[in-house]
Amino acid sequence: MKRALVSHCIGLLLGSLTLLPAQAADMPAKDPSSKFVRYAVGERNVKDIFADGKIIWVGTSGGLVRYDTETDEYRHYDVRNGLLANGVFHVSRFDNNRMVIGTYGGGLTLLDENTGHWQRYNVPEGLGDPFVYDFLKMSNGDLWIATWTGANRIKKGQLDNPDAWEVFTVENTKGGLPNDWVYGLAEGKNGEVWFATEGGLARFKDETWTHWTHADGLGANYDDVKEETSFGTDPAAYSRHHAKQKMEQGLQGVNTAYNPNYIVSMTVADNGDVWVGTWGAGLSHFDGNKFEVLTKKDGLPSNHVFMLHGDKGSDGIWLGTNMGLSLLDKDKKVARTLNREDGLVADTVFSMDIDNQGEYWIGSYGGVTRIKAGKDQ
């Protein structure tokens, strides 16, 4: 599946940003037969993308954008017209009329597209924390919300029933949830819930918690990746939280951006296997019994894996890293890697989705890359 690229740049108006023309100096060399569009969002990260038919929703650190691919019309939502915080970490469809938006400090919001009504849920309503990283609607009707202070479950989706809200933390699960910072959620093959946390991988099944950490095989050993780190800065030098995490996880001797238990991305394959991307410890594949770890030595562009997205057409998995976007094929081999030289807005990839036309939307720092479906597959 070869996807090549043609240069065209469209600016999405975000606050004071205006339409940005294509600039030759900003455009890397490309194949003349390629099909490629870039959308600039200024000095903002694109943390989530949701393809919803002809509409593409783009969650950025500067608000939410609704983009109509047929008309090129867009709307921008931020604190001036409905959101309680501009940082958007999650966007997805809640029902036929409403979108769900998870924000960085402003809680969870439902937006009714028909009426423009905003329905907000925050700590007073039962939310564990106003920093919302992910949202999951289960097949049994339950809702889960990932926050910085544990995970919420809302039984049968009864958001407006205070008695339906629960919050799970390290303390009240007696360590079953390994860390209160929950970054990702996914439903498993048999109705279980998987949790990506800063302290390891967790599963909630039949009201029972189980978790796995580096001691169980999650993430690469430091000695195997210390020469391949992309970041020399140790977050623990600037954050009490990260310093505490290092002490708790026995990483005091590590002075780079490495934590094998820190899961920053996750996806569950159709067969039930779990894939997790870590902070400097590569990509881990969990089949329910054991972990297999892949790193730069196995062809990954980086050991920092920020995004994972299944590719239904190839049974592969797309990886977003700080050194580009790669497709891992069904044999766990890197089939191809795209980066800024190929036409991405930036090498660091945080998000992506594939629309119903088979076109790829890739979120980075500074904008969105659209790789159009073409004859060359």
Side-chain angles (χ1 to χ4, degrees):
M1 179 175 57
K2 181 182 178 183
R3 303 247 177 210
L5 315 169
V6 200
S7 75
H8 181 59
C9 182
I10 299 175
L12 296 175
L13 182 62
L14 293 178
S16 61
L17 294 180
T18 54
L19 190 67
L20 301 176
Q23 297 179 14
D26 188 47
M27 293 295 178
K30 303 176 184 67
D31 185 330
S33 65
S34 62
K35 295 184 178 179
F36 175 76
V37 183
R38 298 200 302 190
Y39 303 82
V41 298
E43 295 182 359
R44 293 165 170 84
N45 290 322
V46 177
K47 302 299 287 186
D48 200 16
I49 295 178
F50 180 70
D52 188 28
K54 69 172 186 175
I55 304 300
I56 304 298
W57 296 87
V58 182
T60 82
S61 54
L64 175 69
V65 174
R66 179 187 186 274
Y67 174 62
D68 189 318
T69 59
E70 292 184 354
T71 66
D72 271 346
E73 294 177 344
Y74 57 84
R75 299 176 193 167
H76 176 222
Y77 303 97
D78 62 10
V79 294
R80 296 169 296 183
N81 58 7
L83 291 177
L84 295 183
N86 283 338
V88 174
F89 273 79
H90 173 87
V91 57
S92 62
R93 180 157 291 284
F94 185 73
D95 57 25
N96 289 337
N97 298 325
R98 293 178 293 178
M99 304 299 297
V100 58
I101 302 129
T103 69
Y104 194 79
L108 187 80
T109 298
L110 298 183
L111 168 63
D112 190 311
E113 290 186 273
N114 293 335
T115 66
H117 175 70
W118 297 86
Q119 195 170 1
R120 303 177 182 88
Y121 299 91
N122 218 311
V123 175
E125 285 73 40
L127 191 63
D129 190 276
F131 291 81
V132 173
Y133 280 92
D134 204 0
F135 178 88
L136 175 65
K137 193 172 185 179
M138 298 284 291
S139 55
N140 68 0
D142 289 349
L143 306 176
W144 286 87
I145 305 169
T147 82
W148 259 8
T149 311
N152 280 104
R153 175 171 66 170
I154 301 93
K155 292 183 176 179
K156 302 303 179 184
Q158 301 177 72
L159 281 166
D160 297 317
N161 178 7
D163 295 333
W165 284 72
E166 301 173 292
V167 62
F168 296 96
T169 64
V170 173
E171 183 178 2
N172 68 20
T173 63
K174 297 181 172 56
L177 185 69
N179 193 279
D180 286 337
W181 285 29
V182 182
Y183 290 103
L185 302 163
E187 181 169 4
K189 183 179 180 181
N190 299 308
E192 70 273 24
V193 186
W194 292 95
F195 302 80
T197 83
E198 195 167 336
L201 177 68
R203 182 186 68 194
F204 186 69
K205 182 180 181 182
D206 300 327
E207 302 297 314
T208 300
W209 289 90
T210 311
H211 72 255
W212 297 264
T213 66
H214 182 55
D216 303 300
L218 171 66
N221 293 324
Y222 181 60
D223 287 343
D224 294 332
V225 296
K226 64 182 180 181
E227 302 300 327
E228 301 173 340
T229 183
S230 298
F231 303 104
T233 302
D234 180 7
Y238 303 92
S239 164
R240 290 183 180 179
H241 169 80
H242 289 293
K244 180 182 177 183
Q245 294 288 76
K246 285 183 63 174
M247 291 289 292
E248 292 175 348
Q249 297 177 23
L251 298 172
Q252 299 93 318
V254 176
N255 58 7
T256 60
Y258 164 86
N259 184 338
N261 293 314
Y262 187 170
I263 300 174
V264 291
S265 57
M266 177 175 64
T267 190
V268 176
D270 289 342
N271 66 357
D273 288 4
V274 182
W275 294 83
V276 295
T278 67
W279 183 249
L283 175 69
S284 290
H285 168 239
F286 185 56
D287 65 4
N289 295 305
K290 64 183 185 303
F291 286 93
E292 179 183 4
V293 178
L294 302 174
T295 68
K296 284 186 69 174
K297 291 183 174 68
D298 301 292
L300 302 189
S302 171
N303 291 323
H304 287 80
V305 182
F306 299 139
M307 183 280 301
L308 293 170
H309 192 286
D311 187 280
K312 300 295 184 183
S314 67
D315 293 326
I317 294 176
W318 288 97
L319 295 77
T321 77
N322 63 296
M323 297 295 289
L325 176 73
S326 290
L327 177 64
L328 197 71
D329 66 22
K330 60 183 179 180
D331 297 318
K332 302 173 188 174
K333 304 294 184 183
V334 176
R336 63 186 59 81
T337 296
L338 298 173
N339 54 34
R340 193 172 184 277
E341 290 184 356
D342 299 300
L344 296 186
V345 169
D347 286 340
T348 301
V349 175
F350 296 116
S351 56
M352 76 171 286
D353 204 357
I354 304 171
D355 67 20
N356 57 6
Q357 302 299 314
E359 297 186 351
Y360 289 43
W361 298 80
I362 302 156
S364 307
Y365 173 76
V368 176
T369 303
R370 177 186 186 181
I371 302 178
K372 290 188 174 184
K375 294 181 179 180
D376 291 334
Q377 300 296 317

